[in-house]
Amino acid sequence: MSELVLLSPLHGWSTPLEEVPDPVFAGRMLGDGLAIDPLGSTLHAPCDGQVAALPETRHAVTIRAAPGLDILMHIGIDTVGLGGEGFVAHVAAGQTVRAGDPLISFDLDLLARRAPSLLTPVLTIADGALHLVRRIEGRPVQVGELLMEWSNASASPVGPPQTGAETRVRIVRVALEHGIHARPAAQVATALKSLRVEVQLHIRGRSADARSATSLMTLGVHRDEEVEIRATGADSQQALEALEALLSRRAPAVRAAARPAHAAVTAPAEPVRAGAVLSGVVASRGVAVGPAAPLQRRVLVVAESGAGIEQETAELHRACAAVRERLERSLGAARGAAAQVLEAHLVLLEDPQLQARALEAIGRGRSAASAWRGAIGESIAALRELGDSRMGERVDDLTDLEHQVLLALAGESPASAAAIATGSILIAEELLPSQLIGLDAEALAGICLAAGGATSHVSILAAAAGIPALVALGPALLTIAAGTPLILDAEDGQLRVDPGETHLERARRQIAQAAEQRVRERELAQRECRTADGVRIEVLANLGSLADAELAVRNGAEGCGLLRTEFLFLERREAPSEAEQQCEYQRIAAALAGRPLTIRTLDIGGDKPIPYLPLPVEDNPALGLRGIRTSLWRADLLDQQLRAVLAVEPLGQCRLLLPMITDVAEVRAVRERIAAASRHIGRSAAIELGVMIETPASALMAEALAREVDFFSVGTNDLTQYTLAMDRGHPQLAARLDGLHPAVLRLIGRTAQAARAAGRRTAVCGGLASDPLAAPILIGLGVHELSCVPVAIPRIKTLLGSITLEQCRTRAEAALAQDSAEAVRALAAMPAGHRGAVAPLEA
Ligand code: PEP
Ligand code: MG
């Protein structure tokens, strides 16, 4: 077929595919096209053809326009889970249809209530033979109206190299809840993309090419059915393993966490009136006053087809070189978190897979811009499949890089696209790290985002630059007119819109006082920390990079209480060598200039998967191979890491810390390996060894553990998660996941008591250590050392210097007697010395 005309199958609003809140569609993993936000409730045939696939759940249909040319329409998102409820099919599989024939009717109200989105992707899967020459987007469309036009592509697709290698066969029972439907099919196809292999799936006498998602879907494989996988080619073993892992998962193939971390704020909103207060999530603490400066997001229109392979390839290289040069220039002047972001962008920009994907798309006739966007989309989709909330930062980086290269292709730079007036409060739906770096941070009074997450890179950057920021303020934010006076209170999580002169004046006074206080605190932070009555408390920093170490020292850190080594090598595709690790640890030790450096062994698994160490599929990764369990499972990696740490000089500077300990046997097993590693490198001096107290088991076994180790470090993030049985990444439980819960405090208290009895130190390195309300309580419970995020150190040191140990103890006793985290917070917010209306705990 040389061309294909598709008519609109639905009455609705035609929308770019990128807006579909599902990475599989938005990343074009299944095919290219667009989405329709339906206003009508019957899906019609977009062209003449045959019904190639119609699942029992009737939520999607594939029309075969010609051999190798399929049109997939998927009504709403995540609608497979409705099990057919609300859908009526007017056709059957195999039936011939004419353009405009009704295919499926659906209950629009039911879908609006039950599906996360009604957006209906309409995709063409054309084996690379066709490319899109016209698509009607961003406006209403009627059934039967022209929607897309495709025509013959000049280049042929790149196929998997075949070598005549042996065929490997494996039988796999499909455990996916809804069988092999659209998303798992796309994941299978994606998993095979970079492999040199040909794979066929066989079931019930039928077979399908596993590289073709639509072909897989036509098999109609259900849960608990057995499929035979036949793989031929150099990477056949790898392919079988990848497919077995994908198909035998019991949970749905893409978890909720795989949704865009910062879904676009699309809901229309009432304009905000004067005096209104919007609530958001604090991303960077502080208060700011200034006029609203809405950031107009540049809409970059991208042409699908290119002007020839040579020209588009040259364009892409030119744009990437321009971005690289600008990033390197900025990196020269950047420090701390900004430098980290720029480094991450440089690494991603050079990523060979990303470049190869883009060049391959150019080879198929795409323009440089469209090829780059597609390649980034695929990488984002792959990352989101990992379902790791921390991967959100990498997704932000990729989105940012997409924007930077597209701007460069258009001959612009991020700074020119995002200039705002001095002293303004920036308002935007989302902000990219490069946009923030491109702005004059000194001139920016504050940042308000309608969407966004508190742990995104932009939030980290804002915090590092000391710019108050609120995120997740909702769509109403975007209705605020330029110049409207605002008070951004990123202590209380509120944005006051046009609040009147009295409020503005009061806020200005508060800001001036806070600025003076910060200057004082930073000066004082260089001294060692003591309570008001002279008790020595060490305040150290949590680090994830060399840049963090430099920032920490400037903020008065007395050392590092936790180096999260898993974050040092996150971008890698293969495990870092022993020499690389040693070099990185040594650089951080040097940056700390003799201050103690606590190096935690790799804490991977759970919510921290790592690309170079694929873990077995687990139903409940947070309760599976994590932390020390993973290290003892892969003792070869542990031994390498131990040798690298033991070799850091001077010998006494480093301490070793073990994550996720639950009993003494784990400590003894590691001790033996430390002894062997020391012998291996010829070290005779002992190294201080500590364990993380982050499981209830370790807190309850603290007496026994104290006999085995030199110190404890309480990880309140995990201790809270495991004590309260609440996932630390769960968005709905976030407000209740509070380490000040009395149950958590009791575990910390008994840990510190056991340590003291054995003459051991207790540190806290979880998030609670950086919380000004929590720090005095922790000290009162018997903790000697706090390890904080670097920017929090001056405030924590000042705070501890203003309170006596006795006051901390009184506060801790009162906290232990409360019955909820809210009550502890209310108590902790009272002035020092106040015991509240509660009786202290009986001694
Ligand atoms: C913790 O659990 O509190 C901790 C410090 O470890 P991480 O946040 O790296 O899991
Ligand atoms: Mg932890």
Side-chain angles (χ1 to χ4, degrees):
M1 179 169 271
S2 63
E3 65 174 32
L4 171 73
V5 172
L6 293 182
L7 308 180
S8 178
L10 263 174
H11 169 207
W13 191 279
S14 176
T15 310
L17 213 47
E18 288 81 358
E19 289 191 22
V20 177
D22 185 320
V24 167
F25 293 114
R28 296 185 161 76
M29 287 163 74
L30 279 164
D32 202 0
L34 42 72
I36 298 179
D37 202 356
L39 295 168
S41 57
T42 299
L43 186 79
H44 298 257
C47 58
D48 295 351
Q50 196 183 25
V51 180
L54 178 67
E56 283 160 14
T57 41
R58 305 180 292 280
H59 69 290
V61 58
T62 305
I63 301 296
R64 181 149 302 155
L69 180 53
D70 289 346
I71 295 62
L72 167 70
M73 291 164 285
H74 194 284
I75 305 169
I77 298 305
D78 271 357
T79 40
V80 63
L82 293 176
E85 195 187 348
F87 296 98
V88 177
H90 304 295
V91 289
Q95 189 176 322
T96 303
V97 291
R98 303 295 307 269
D101 284 353
L103 301 174
I104 300 172
S105 292
F106 51 93
D107 184 337
L108 201 53
D109 287 342
L110 180 109
L111 258 62
R113 274 182 281 114
R114 306 266 298 273
S117 167
L118 286 170
L119 279 176
T120 297
V122 181
L123 312 172
T124 297
I125 300 119
D127 288 351
L130 292 182
H131 70 268
L132 200 49
V133 287
R134 187 163 168 204
R135 87 177 107 195
I136 309 299
E137 249 174 15
R139 70 165 176 81
V141 286
Q142 298 293 336
V143 174
E145 192 179 328
L146 175 77
L147 194 64
M148 285 180 268
E149 242 179 279
W150 297 73
S151 86
N152 228 349
S154 45
S156 60
V158 182
Q162 284 311 305
T163 56
E166 67 160 318
T167 297
R168 294 173 196 257
V169 181
R170 193 173 292 187
I171 310 278
V172 172
R173 180 180 291 276
V174 174
L176 300 163
E177 201 179 356
H178 302 294
I180 306 184
H181 62 99
R183 279 214 238 118
Q187 287 173 325
V188 166
T190 308
L192 297 177
K193 238 178 207 156
S194 57
L195 301 183
R196 291 158 304 158
V197 68
E198 234 169 33
V199 183
Q200 294 279 325
L201 255 67
H202 300 261
I203 187 167
R204 294 180 251 104
R206 295 170 61 202
S207 59
D209 178 354
R211 285 180 178 273
S212 157
T214 40
S215 160
L216 276 183
M217 283 155 64
T218 59
L219 289 180
V221 179
H222 293 112
R223 178 181 175 163
D224 285 333
E225 284 196 289
E226 284 187 342
V227 287
E228 185 187 89
I229 310 174
R230 304 176 76 86
T232 313
D235 295 329
S236 54
Q237 182 63 20
Q238 223 176 320
L240 287 181
E241 261 150 36
L243 263 53
E244 177 161 30
L246 277 170
L247 300 180
S248 58
R249 280 186 202 169
R250 239 159 288 152
V254 175
R255 287 183 278 170
R259 286 179 180 291
H262 318 301
V265 176
T266 49
E270 289 283 311
V272 180
R273 299 218 189 93
V277 179
L278 301 182
S279 296
V281 174
V282 175
S284 167
R285 303 193 88 86
V287 179
V289 169
L295 178 73
Q296 300 308 329
R297 194 172 173 135
R298 282 279 282 111
V299 179
L300 293 160
V301 182
V302 166
E304 283 293 325
S305 35
I309 296 176
E310 223 169 280
Q311 187 175 331
E312 298 297 332
T313 306
E315 276 289 286
L316 183 64
H317 286 150
R318 180 193 59 73
C320 287
V323 172
R324 187 177 315 112
E325 197 199 306
R326 199 172 36 69
L327 287 172
E328 280 167 354
R329 219 177 322 117
S330 309
L331 187 60
R335 310 218 65 77
Q340 250 175 295
V341 171
L342 292 165
E343 267 165 13
H345 287 187
L346 273 168
V347 170
L348 289 172
L349 184 68
E350 317 262 278
D351 185 288
Q353 204 176 4
L354 196 61
Q355 293 284 340
R357 277 186 186 144
L359 293 175
E360 193 192 313
I362 289 177
R364 291 199 308 269
R366 299 268 210 103
S367 68
S370 139
W372 182 249
R373 183 173 267 179
I376 293 267
E378 281 180 45
S379 300
I380 288 178
L383 267 180
R384 284 190 169 138
E385 272 166 49
L386 292 173
D388 172 14
S389 53
R390 293 185 200 208
M391 287 296 165
E393 285 174 16
R394 298 283 96 71
V395 171
D396 287 352
D397 288 331
L398 282 165
T399 311
D400 196 337
L401 211 53
E402 173 187 328
H403 191 73
Q404 293 181 56
V405 172
L406 292 187
L407 277 177
L409 282 165
E412 295 182 31
S413 69
S416 68
I420 67 153
T422 303
S424 308
I425 294 182
L426 184 105
I427 282 184
E429 181 180 336
E430 288 264 27
L431 190 65
L432 299 169
S434 64
Q435 287 177 310
L436 181 51
I437 292 169
L439 291 165
D440 181 1
E442 302 284 302
L444 207 57
I447 297 170
C448 291
L449 301 183
T455 58
S456 71
H457 256 150
V458 162
S459 303
I460 294 166
L461 282 174
I467 305 171
L470 286 177
V471 298
L473 282 154
L477 176 78
L478 304 176
T479 67
I480 297 173
T484 307
L486 299 174
I487 300 176
L488 189 176
D489 187 343
E491 296 290 341
D492 278 355
Q494 293 191 327
L495 179 71
R496 294 180 177 277
V497 183
D498 203 355
E501 200 42 47
T502 322
H503 283 289
L504 287 168
E505 198 37 52
R506 196 183 311 142
R508 284 189 197 107
R509 274 202 306 276
Q510 198 186 337
I511 294 166
Q513 283 163 3
E516 284 169 20
Q517 192 183 338
R518 262 201 312 279
V519 172
R520 275 199 309 274
E521 284 178 356
R522 247 181 105 150
E523 281 166 13
L524 292 173
Q526 295 307 326
R527 305 191 195 153
E528 61 176 31
C529 179
R530 290 187 183 277
T531 59
D533 52 339
V535 178
R536 177 83 172 99
I537 305 290
E538 282 178 51
V539 181
L540 294 87
N542 291 349
L543 309 178
S545 67
L546 175 63
D548 281 353
E550 289 158 356
L551 178 71
V553 169
R554 286 201 301 281
N555 276 281
E558 299 175 53
C560 163
L562 167 65
L563 174 64
R564 290 181 164 103
T565 54
E566 60 279 3
F567 286 174
L568 282 179
F569 303 103
L570 205 58
E571 318 285 351
R572 309 275 305 226
R573 287 180 198 284
E574 71 289 332
S577 70
E578 191 177 322
E580 283 172 302
Q581 292 189 55
Q582 191 200 324
C583 171
E584 204 56 28
Y585 304 150
Q586 189 65 63
R587 288 167 68 192
I588 293 174
L592 291 175
R595 297 171 181 86
L597 168 56
T598 313
I599 302 184
R600 184 172 71 181
T601 56
L602 278 181
D603 181 18
I604 42 185
D607 67 344
K608 288 183 272 192
I610 230 156
Y612 56 79
L613 182 56
L615 296 170
V617 175
E618 296 177 317
D619 276 355
N620 204 336
L623 303 180
L625 274 180
R626 239 208 93 169
I628 201 65
R629 302 173 198 168
T630 316
S631 290
L632 289 171
W633 172 65
R634 281 296 305 268
D636 54 327
L637 291 181
L638 174 63
D639 290 345
Q640 263 189 11
Q641 185 169 33
L642 291 176
R643 289 194 297 269
V645 174
L646 288 164
V648 174
E649 290 179 326
L651 290 192
Q653 190 180 356
C654 286
R655 309 162 175 168
L656 260 171
L657 180 59
L658 311 178
M660 284 295 291
I661 291 290
T662 51
D663 61 33
V664 294
E666 289 161 330
V667 182
R668 289 181 187 151
V670 177
R671 269 216 188 276
E672 279 175 23
R673 307 205 83 89
I674 294 174
S678 300
R679 278 195 301 278
H680 190 275
I681 63 163
R683 172 176 169 151
S684 54
I687 186 163
E688 273 192 81
L689 180 67
V691 288
M692 296 281 295
I693 301 292
E694 51 184 349
T695 61
S698 60
L700 295 169
M701 296 298 290
E703 289 81 4
L705 286 166
R707 288 193 286 274
E708 303 284 330
V709 297
D710 302 302
F711 65 97
F712 289 154
S713 188
V714 183
T716 53
N717 307 334
D718 277 313
L719 187 60
T720 308
Q721 146 164 282
Y722 293 118
T723 304
L724 303 184
M726 289 182 190
D727 185 336
R728 65 192 267 185
H730 198 299
Q732 269 83 46
L733 299 177
R736 292 177 58 199
L737 194 84
D738 191 339
L740 281 182
H741 192 293
V744 181
L745 296 180
R746 280 166 190 250
L747 289 172
I748 299 173
R750 78 176 306 293
T751 300
Q753 219 170 355
R756 195 172 44 242
R760 305 284 184 252
R761 291 191 327 275
T762 302
V764 172
C765 65
L768 224 49
S770 306
D771 181 344
L773 291 185
I777 295 178
L778 296 173
I779 301 304
L781 288 173
V783 167
H784 312 100
E785 184 182 307
L786 298 177
S787 191
C788 312
V789 293
V791 288
I793 291 173
R795 169 139 350 153
I796 295 292
K797 278 185 150 183
T798 309
L799 175 75
L800 294 179
S802 70
I803 192 166
T804 65
L805 182 61
E806 198 43 43
Q807 284 170 326
C808 291
R809 285 187 177 145
T810 306
R811 189 156 286 207
E813 281 179 4
L816 289 174
Q818 303 303 304
D819 55 14
S820 69
E822 294 79 38
V824 176
R825 282 216 171 264
L827 178 102
M830 291 178 187
H834 197 297
R835 297 173 78 100
V838 291
L841 195 71
E842 293 295 319

